[in-house]
Amino acid sequence: MSSIKTLVKDFLSDEEGLTLIEYLLGAALIILAFAAASPWNALKTALDNVISDAESGG
């Protein structure tokens, strides 16, 4: 049990471990931003098509 405590304590005090976590969180946020933007782009394209059809009288 004390070895697990020591491992956790060492991990939390290791700045390289924190840097890795920061990079992973940053990458996750970028991926989420791309995933969230995709439906909006599809909606924009659909609305642009509806507007262009309405303007052309078709």
Side-chain angles (χ1 to χ4, degrees):
M1 184 69 167
S2 65
S3 64
I4 294 174
K5 282 185 180 180
T6 305
L7 273 172
V8 171
K9 193 175 186 181
D10 288 344
F11 178 75
L12 292 175
S13 66
D14 183 18
E15 292 184 15
E16 290 180 22
L18 290 176
T19 302
L20 176 64
I21 291 171
E22 289 170 355
Y23 281 123
L24 291 174
L25 286 174
L29 288 175
I30 291 170
I31 291 169
L32 284 174
F34 280 122
S38 180
W40 294 112
N41 287 335
L43 179 62
K44 180 188 178 303
T45 302
L47 290 175
D48 285 343
N49 290 339
V50 168
I51 291 170
S52 67
D53 287 345
E55 287 176 345
S56 67

